[in-house]
């Protein structure tokens, strides 16, 4: 019953998207009013959102006659994780993706109408084409509504790793929202290319809509890193795993665009470059979906097991060829001029390095797949490679980030040099403190760089609020920079200041790490929704460490998951993973680690997104005038 | 003013350099060295974590070996080489800087150098344009930077396109879409070698389990299937193998629960239907409604040339005729 309704809603969503595509094309040709395409977008949103709601209802009702529920549902999964099972497997993720895209399409249709020329037909043609594609996936090879007969009494539940922590409830929707949000600047760009209208309005709207998508993307990546730290038990937050890497790629290119758009808005230069960055950001979200959802990572041989992988590959290839073709034919022989003085030069360097990081991450992620496909051998490109290349580039980027806002859209003067020298005080303090704390050489250098960046950013904030006290929006970028500097500091300190100890403990025994005492009391066995668990009761520095670290052996797959116990702190976390528990002797093997300042990584991520949100604040006439004046100055002063 | 700036620069550089020197002059203890080595080795049973970070059993064993070798005074490269010899260079998380792997190392440099060239040309062109027009106004873009920008765009496109041919057409010729065995069946020894080379390929592990099951080594087969499920908990094939083992070892009731799970997600799995039919037949006799329902469904979904068809048809016919004795359906191992 629910299945029939769900399929009908999916059909409504897909059908409306197809109709919307036709209507948008007719509107482009001037035959139909563009309002029809907007109405189709609304109908499509009703269809896909209704289908998602029905799927959640089916999951909560444990209706195992629906194939997706039979695949990821179970009677013993708590309600919160039952709802989040909507994105625990392939078909449900596509459904969520389509729903978010449909809602974003409606929002975009409302947003771009404000003044002529009417850009709705072009934008809606692109977004409806995407929606129709994902709708067809859901009706065909990715249908989550297939009937199951006989109806099973219970299901296996979601992958146990995905049903342990509330962060998994927010991480995928945020990431997907960021991904689908990047379709809007892409659609605006395709429309602008089609009409040869790569004007100031295009660059302003493309960068504004990129910020809107960038906020959930940033929060989603941060939440993913935090989840990885809190659940996977290995103590890290970023493993340079292909799934993580491909999600980072669009963030890197979108970040590059947010900065190069500043140059574009002031000088009108870099048209082709900005088109490339907007398009690459969106195409990389499709690429991320292809890599994570086609099974190519389990084994390259799993790729063609379902039709979804080849269809997604076709979508990526078609979008890529279409975009490149359109850009090659329609990018106008635009204006060229100065790229905006030394500030512009710093931004171009930032772009170059961000793209270099993206190319590194892309190459390192794809290379093993290519090698395996070509000669069947396996190579590893892992964390040491990425850290060795991204680390130094990241350090330079951090310096540029600190210096950039202090530089003028004009010529170099000694006064500016003085502005840059002042924050070196922060670097000196950081270096001395790090050396005194006993960090290694890399840790001292990293701390110096991150403190320089933080100090310079705070100086910029102070300077700017003195110059223009009321412009919240123009502080947004600096707030974001401060967030990133805090993240950099946390990354450096947690990596270089960590301490570990692995110990086998009998009840009553104590292990000490970096001044913290962890005493083992006893183990308690129990069962959870995912399988058999053993939980260790510990005492950390005299107080009970609750909940204790757990070891869960999944009932079906016989796989063991170590859920760590974390005591977060302003100065650092104590992190205990239960590696082994021997019921016969009553002993446990634990790894106790301390990570200085790691909580600031999550705080920094939120500040980063918050800063971006501030830049969206309603801009007053004053700041428009400031940009216009700066643009004039740049064009005049070269 | 310039002098003051230079003085400030030199002073801070001096202090920071001193701090770095102080930090690097401290001797590295053995456990820090061991940790550094462990973080460049891949945990053989995990997805992407290093030996240093992984809580897995295999990683703990490797950590013990590394720490022993560090105490024995072997160099970092000797220890890494020791593991590369045993597991292949796959165990090293950073690819070698020789051979074709050099591509990933030089690519970032190529991007940066190429980008700098483009930028410099662009800047020079812009200055030229401004100079030529004599005013500070904007000039029409000419060939140079446009070509360069297209080159960068093209490079990004190539980087994006590269994985697509890699991802397409990868199915080995002759392999059935269900991920079963390739046309030539590898021997157990071959499969063991492949598993040793890559213990995280669920498909090969399953194949090895199937081969061991065929050879009658039930405990070994079961452990391979379990390993396959650890890698890919959603895979059906290893569960089918485990169900076959359960039926063989007289636990058809447990096999039925396992098969119910498979059929819950994939109701049209002929293998699972056949096995549940066999298991239920052992439990309840062949005239049971569950057995007959599975048999009928099996005949609907099984391929036309499936050899098990005759068995199932004769079973249905026999129970139709309600005879007390008939040719029994063999409860052999049906998994491919």
């Amino acid at each position: 019953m629910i299945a029939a309704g769900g399929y009908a809603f999916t059909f409504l969503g897909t059908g409306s998207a197809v109709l919307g595509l036709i209507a948008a094309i007719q509107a482009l040709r001037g035959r139909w009013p563009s309002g029809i395409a907007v109405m189709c977008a609304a109908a499509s949103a009703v269809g896909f959102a209704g289908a998602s709601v029905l799927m959640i209802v089916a999951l909560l009702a444990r209706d195992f006659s629906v194939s997706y529920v039979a695949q990821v549902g179970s009677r013993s999964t708590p309600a919160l994780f039952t709802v989040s099972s909507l994105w625990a497997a392939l078909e449900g993720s596509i459904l969520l993706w389509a729903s978010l895209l449909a809602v974003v399409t409606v929002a975009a249709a409302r947003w771009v109408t404000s003044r002529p020329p009417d850009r709705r037909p072009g934008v809606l043609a692109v977004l409806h084409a995407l929606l129709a594609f994902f709708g067809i996936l859901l009706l065909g090879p990715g249908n989550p509504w297939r009937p199951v007969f006989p109806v099973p009494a219970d299901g296996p539940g979601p992958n146990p790793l995905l049903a342990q922590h509330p962060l998994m409830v927010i991480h995928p929707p945020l990431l997907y929202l960021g991904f689908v949000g990047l379709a809007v600047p892409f659609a605006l760009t395709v429309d602008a290319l089609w009409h040869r209208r790569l004007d100031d309005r295009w660059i302003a709207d493309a960068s504004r809509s990129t910020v809107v998508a960038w906020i959930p993307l940033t929060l989603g990546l941060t939440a993913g890193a935090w989840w990885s730290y809190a659940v996977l038990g290995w103590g890290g937050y970023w493993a340079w795993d292909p799934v993580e890497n491909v999600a980072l790629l669009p963030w890197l290119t979108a970040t590059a665009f947010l900065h190069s758009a500043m140059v574009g808005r002031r000088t009108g230069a870099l048209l082709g470059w900005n088109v490339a960055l907007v398009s690459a950001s969106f195409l990389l979200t499709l690429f991320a979906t292809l890599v994570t959802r086609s099974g190519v990572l389990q084994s390259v041989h799993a790729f063609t097991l379902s039709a979804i992988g080849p269809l997604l590959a076709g979508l990526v290839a078609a979008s890529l060829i279409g975009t490149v073709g359109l850009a090659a034919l329609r990018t106008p022989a635009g204006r060229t001029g100065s790229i905006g003085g030394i500030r512009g030069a710093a931004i171009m360097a930032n772009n170059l390095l961000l793209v270099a990081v993206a190319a590194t991450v892309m190459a390192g992620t794809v290379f093993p797949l290519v090698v395996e496909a070509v000669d069947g051998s396996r190579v590893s490109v892992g964390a040491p490679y990425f850290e060795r290349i991204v680390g130094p580039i990241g350090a330079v980027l951090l310096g540029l980030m600190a210096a950039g806002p202090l530089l003028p859209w004009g010529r170099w003067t000694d006064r500016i040099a003085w502005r840059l020298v002042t924050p070196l005080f922060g670097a000196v303090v950081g270096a001395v403190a790090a050396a005194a704390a006993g960090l290694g050489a890399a840790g001292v250098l990293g701390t110096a760089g991150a403190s320089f960046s933080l100090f310079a950013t705070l100086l910029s904030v102070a300077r700017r609020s003195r110059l223009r006290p009321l412009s919240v929006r123009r502080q947004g970028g600096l707030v974001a920079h401060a967030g990133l500097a805090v993240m950099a500091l946390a990354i450096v300190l947690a990596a270089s200041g960590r301490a570990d100890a692995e110990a086998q403990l009998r009840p009553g025994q104590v292990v000490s790490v970096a001044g913290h005492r962890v005493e083992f009391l006893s183990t308690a066995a129990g069962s959870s929704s995912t399988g058999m668990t053993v939980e260790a009761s510990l005492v950390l520095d005299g107080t009970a460490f609750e909940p204790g670290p757990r070891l869960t052996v999944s009932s079906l797959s016989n796989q063991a998951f170590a859920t760590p116990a974390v005591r977060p702190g302003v100065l650092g976390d104590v992190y205990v993973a239960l590696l082994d528990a021997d019921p016969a002797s009553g002993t446990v093997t634990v790894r106790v680690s301390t990570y200085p300042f790691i909580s600031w990584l999550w705080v920094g991520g939120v500040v980063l997104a918050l800063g971006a949100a501030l830049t969206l604040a309603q801009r007053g006439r004053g700041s428009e005038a400031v940009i216009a004046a700066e643009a004039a100055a740049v064009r005049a002063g070269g | 003013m310039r002098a003051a700036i230079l003085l400030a620069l030199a002073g801070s550089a001096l202090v920071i350099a001193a701090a770095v020197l102080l930090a690097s002059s401290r001797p590295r203890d053995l456990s820090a060295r061991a940790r550094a080595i462990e973080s460049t080795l891949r945990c053989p049973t995990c997805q992407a974590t290093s030996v240093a970070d992984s809580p897995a059993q295999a990683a703990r064993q490797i950590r013990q070996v590394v720490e022993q070798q560090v105490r024995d005074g072997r160099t970092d490269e000797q220890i890494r080489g020791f593991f590369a010899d045993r597991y292949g260079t796959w165990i090293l998380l950073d690819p070698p800087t020789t051979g074709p792997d050099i591509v990933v190392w030089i690519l970032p440099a190529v991007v940066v150098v190429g980008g700098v060239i483009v930028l410099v040309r662009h800047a020079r062109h812009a200055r030229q344009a401004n100079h030529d027009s004599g005013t500070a106004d904007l000039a029409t873009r000419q060939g140079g930077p446009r070509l360069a920008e297209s080159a960068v765009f093209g490079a990004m496109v190539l980087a994006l396109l590269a994985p697509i041919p890699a991802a397409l057409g990868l199915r080995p010729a002759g392999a059935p879409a269900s991920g079963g065995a390739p046309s030539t069946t590898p021997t157990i020894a071959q499969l063991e070698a492949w598993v040793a080379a890559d213990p995280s390929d669920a498909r090969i592990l399953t194949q090895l389990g199937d081969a061991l099951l065929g050879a009658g080594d039930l405990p070994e087969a079961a452990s391979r299937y379990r390993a396959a499920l650890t890698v890919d908990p959603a895979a059906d094939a290893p569960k089918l193998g485990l169900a076959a083992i359960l039926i063989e070892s007289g636990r058809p009731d447990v096999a039925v629960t396992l098969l119910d799970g498979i059929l819950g997600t994939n109701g049209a799995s002929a293998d699972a239907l056949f096995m549940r039919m066999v298991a239920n037949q052992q439990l309840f006799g062949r005239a049971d409604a569950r057995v007959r329902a599975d048999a009928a469904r099996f005949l609907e979904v099984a391929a036309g040339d499936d050899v098990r068809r005759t068995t199932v048809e004769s079973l249905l016919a026999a129970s139709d005729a309600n005879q007390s004795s008939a040719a029994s359906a063999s409860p052999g191992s049906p998994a491919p």
Side-chain angles (χ1 to χ4, degrees):
Chain A
M1 186 57 211
I2 296 183
Y7 197 81
F9 268 106
T10 314
F11 195 84
L12 169 68
T14 312
S16 311
V18 172
L19 277 181
L21 176 60
I22 296 169
I25 291 173
Q26 292 289 32
L28 271 177
R29 299 167 71 192
R31 298 200 176 160
W32 295 6
S34 54
I36 299 178
V38 177
M39 276 156 55
C40 289
S44 187
V46 168
F48 286 120
S52 289
V53 169
L54 274 184
M55 183 56 85
I56 291 173
V57 169
L59 281 164
L60 286 172
R62 270 91 182 182
D63 182 349
F64 296 110
S65 69
V66 176
S67 58
Y68 186 73
V69 181
Q71 188 189 340
V72 300
S74 94
R75 295 192 185 280
S76 50
T77 308
L80 179 66
F81 295 116
T82 300
V83 172
S84 72
S85 300
L86 177 62
W87 45 89
L90 175 64
E91 291 88 351
S93 314
I94 300 178
L95 183 57
L96 174 69
W97 180 287
S99 313
L100 292 173
L101 182 58
V103 172
V104 164
T105 303
V106 172
R110 288 182 59 87
W111 179 63
V112 297
T113 56
S114 48
R115 53 195 159 113
D118 189 359
R119 293 175 296 170
R120 287 177 299 178
V123 169
L124 286 178
V126 174
L127 295 177
H128 274 139
L130 280 170
L131 259 182
F133 174 85
F134 284 102
I136 289 166
L137 274 192
L138 284 169
L139 292 178
N143 178 11
W145 305 104
R146 277 174 288 118
V148 178
F149 188 82
V151 179
D154 200 351
N159 182 332
L161 281 176
L162 304 183
Q164 299 217 348
H165 200 285
L167 278 168
M168 209 8 101
V169 179
I170 60 165
H171 157 64
L174 281 172
L175 203 60
Y176 283 8
L177 193 58
F179 279 7
V180 300
L182 286 175
V184 175
F186 173 72
L188 279 167
T189 303
V190 169
D191 174 71
L193 282 170
W194 183 260
H195 294 291
R196 299 176 197 273
R197 273 199 308 246
L198 291 173
D199 49 15
D200 291 349
R201 191 173 166 210
W202 161 71
I203 189 94
D205 286 349
S207 83
R208 199 170 165 80
S209 52
T210 300
V211 174
V212 172
W214 191 89
I215 294 166
L217 188 57
T218 303
L219 289 173
L221 287 169
T222 308
W226 193 358
W227 171 81
S228 177
Y229 172 79
V231 168
L232 294 184
W234 61 279
Y237 46 86
W238 195 268
W240 298 101
D241 179 82
V243 176
E244 298 166 340
N245 290 351
V246 293
L248 181 66
L249 289 171
W251 187 88
L252 291 168
T253 49
T255 308
F257 170 66
L258 290 180
H259 291 90
S260 71
M262 293 167 62
V263 176
R265 290 178 73 176
R266 284 174 174 79
T267 71
L270 306 175
L271 276 187
W273 178 246
N274 280 326
V275 167
L277 285 178
V278 175
S279 312
S281 302
F282 173 69
L283 292 172
L284 286 168
T285 67
L286 291 184
F287 177 72
T289 318
L290 167 67
V291 168
T292 50
R293 290 299 171 194
S294 65
V296 71
L297 291 178
Q298 278 83 32
S299 156
V300 284
H301 309 294
F303 181 70
T304 44
L305 294 187
S306 124
I308 293 175
L311 283 173
L312 277 171
L315 175 69
V316 173
S319 319
L320 184 62
I321 293 165
T323 314
V324 171
L326 193 62
L329 293 175
R330 298 279 174 114
T331 305
R335 300 161 292 186
T336 187
S338 92
I339 50 169
I342 47 172
R343 171 86 73 99
I347 288 176
M348 287 326 292
N350 137 307
N351 266 233
L352 182 62
L353 295 178
L354 280 171
V355 170
V357 172
T360 305
V361 173
M362 177 69 129
T365 308
V366 167
F367 185 71
L369 298 177
V370 174
V371 169
E372 193 189 348
V374 170
D375 68 356
S377 67
R378 289 288 194 106
V379 292
S380 296
V381 181
Y385 164 79
F386 292 109
E387 280 160 12
R388 206 175 302 170
I389 293 191
V390 174
I393 301 182
V396 178
L397 272 171
L398 211 57
L400 283 171
M401 178 186 93
L406 294 167
L407 300 175
W409 295 95
R411 289 176 199 286
W412 179 264
T413 62
D414 281 355
R415 229 160 45 86
I416 295 154
W418 193 243
R419 265 187 224 161
L420 291 177
V421 163
T422 326
L424 276 177
F425 176 69
V428 168
V429 171
V432 170
L439 300 188
V444 171
L445 266 181
T447 312
S451 334
F452 171 77
S453 200
L454 188 59
F455 199 65
T457 306
L458 296 179
L459 279 181
S460 305
V461 172
R463 189 173 150 268
R464 201 167 279 185
S465 51
R466 209 170 53 236
L467 292 178
R468 274 192 286 274
L470 294 176
S471 176
V472 175
R473 195 181 68 80
R474 292 173 65 82
Q475 297 283 20
L478 291 177
V479 172
H481 282 189
L484 201 64
V486 167
M487 290 175 93
L489 201 56
I491 289 170
V492 168
L493 291 176
S496 55
R498 68 179 282 182
D500 305 89
E502 198 171 310
Q504 193 174 25
L505 301 176
R506 283 193 305 279
Q509 281 191 320
V510 170
V511 56
S512 292
V513 178
H516 293 283
R517 273 171 52 91
V518 176
E519 183 186 358
F520 168 57
L521 298 180
S522 62
T523 53
S527 65
S528 73
S529 60
T530 47
M532 299 300 298
T533 58
V534 179
E535 182 172 335
S537 345
L538 305 172
V539 173
L540 167 63
D541 298 334
T543 52
F545 197 174
E546 279 176 339
R550 273 176 300 145
L551 198 63
T552 305
V553 180
S554 168
S555 30
L556 185 63
S557 63
N558 211 15
Q559 199 176 352
F561 305 106
T563 309
V566 185
R567 181 174 291 176
V570 177
L571 295 179
D573 289 9
V574 179
Y575 188 104
V576 182
L578 183 58
L579 303 183
D580 205 0
D582 183 3
S585 64
T587 61
V588 291
T589 309
V590 291
R591 185 161 68 188
V592 182
S593 313
T594 55
Y595 299 103
F597 294 98
I598 195 159
S599 301
W600 291 95
L601 188 52
W602 335 127
V603 174
V606 173
V607 173
L608 181 60
L610 196 73
L614 282 181
T615 66
L616 291 174
Q618 200 62 43
R619 50 177 92 106
R621 278 193 212 107
S623 53
E624 277 295 2
V626 169
I627 287 196
E630 277 180 358
V634 165
R635 283 168 194 180
Chain B
M1 186 152 182
R2 284 217 171 150
I5 290 171
L6 284 178
L7 201 69
L9 267 178
S12 359
L14 210 66
V15 177
I16 293 172
V20 170
L21 269 178
L22 174 72
S24 55
S25 66
R26 275 191 282 261
R28 275 169 91 204
D29 61 347
L30 291 183
S31 71
R33 240 194 84 202
R35 206 191 134 71
I37 298 170
E38 286 155 7
S39 65
T40 66
L41 297 176
R42 177 188 275 263
C43 157
T45 56
C46 320
Q47 258 211 341
T49 28
S50 70
V51 163
D53 291 322
S54 169
Q57 184 78 29
R60 280 160 61 200
Q61 284 162 357
I62 293 181
R63 279 204 291 272
Q64 283 162 7
V65 176
V66 172
E67 276 146 29
Q68 183 59 49
Q69 297 201 356
V70 167
R71 275 195 299 274
D72 292 350
R74 304 188 67 186
T75 67
D76 293 11
E77 277 318 301
Q78 277 173 337
I79 299 173
R80 281 162 50 86
F82 171 81
F83 287 101
D85 286 344
R86 292 183 76 189
Y87 290 88
T89 50
W90 173 83
I91 195 87
L92 305 175
L93 274 170
D94 43 351
T97 48
T98 54
D101 296 355
I102 192 95
V103 175
V104 288
W105 288 106
I106 58 178
L107 183 105
V110 170
V111 173
V112 172
V113 171
V116 168
I117 292 172
V118 170
L119 273 179
V120 168
R121 286 189 57 174
H122 187 104
R124 194 180 298 159
H125 181 79
R127 201 173 303 148
Q128 189 75 43
N130 283 341
H131 192 256
D132 285 353
S133 60
T135 67
D137 211 347
L138 307 162
T140 312
R141 183 187 304 229
Q142 312 215 330
R146 200 167 151 67
L147 198 72
E149 266 175 27
S150 321
V152 174
F153 195 52
M156 289 172 69
V157 165
L158 275 181
L160 256 172
L161 268 178
I164 292 169
L168 291 170
L170 293 175
R171 201 157 95 209
S178 66
S183 46
T184 55
T185 317
T187 63
I188 292 181
Q190 271 175 337
L191 287 164
E192 297 267 26
W194 294 349
V195 168
D198 175 12
S200 68
D201 190 328
R203 197 165 138 271
I204 303 290
L205 280 167
T206 309
Q207 259 181 285
L208 178 55
D210 291 343
L212 289 162
L213 183 62
D217 188 349
L218 300 190
E220 200 52 38
S223 89
R224 298 306 183 172
Y225 287 134
R226 269 208 294 274
L229 278 178
T230 311
V231 179
D232 180 8
D236 281 346
K239 289 181 202 156
L240 284 170
L242 284 172
I245 292 171
L246 285 164
I247 296 173
E248 289 276 359
S249 39
R251 293 304 305 274
D253 49 334
V254 187
V256 169
T257 351
L258 194 59
L259 292 163
D260 284 347
I262 299 176
L263 289 163
T265 47
N266 178 12
S269 163
D271 295 336
L273 283 165
F274 182 85
M275 288 171 67
R276 190 165 69 178
M277 183 194 82
V278 171
N280 276 327
Q281 191 198 352
Q282 283 187 5
L283 288 168
F284 310 106
R286 68 168 173 245
D288 187 82
R290 282 162 283 200
V291 178
R292 292 178 54 84
D294 279 351
R297 178 92 179 111
F298 172 83
L299 290 176
E300 278 170 41
V301 299
D305 57 350
D306 194 321
V307 287
R308 294 168 294 189
R309 275 183 169 277
T310 25
T311 324
V312 175
E313 273 159 5
S314 63
L315 176 133
L316 269 179
S319 72
D320 274 345
N322 206 14
Q323 288 170 346
S324 55
S325 69
S328 71
S330 136
S333 82

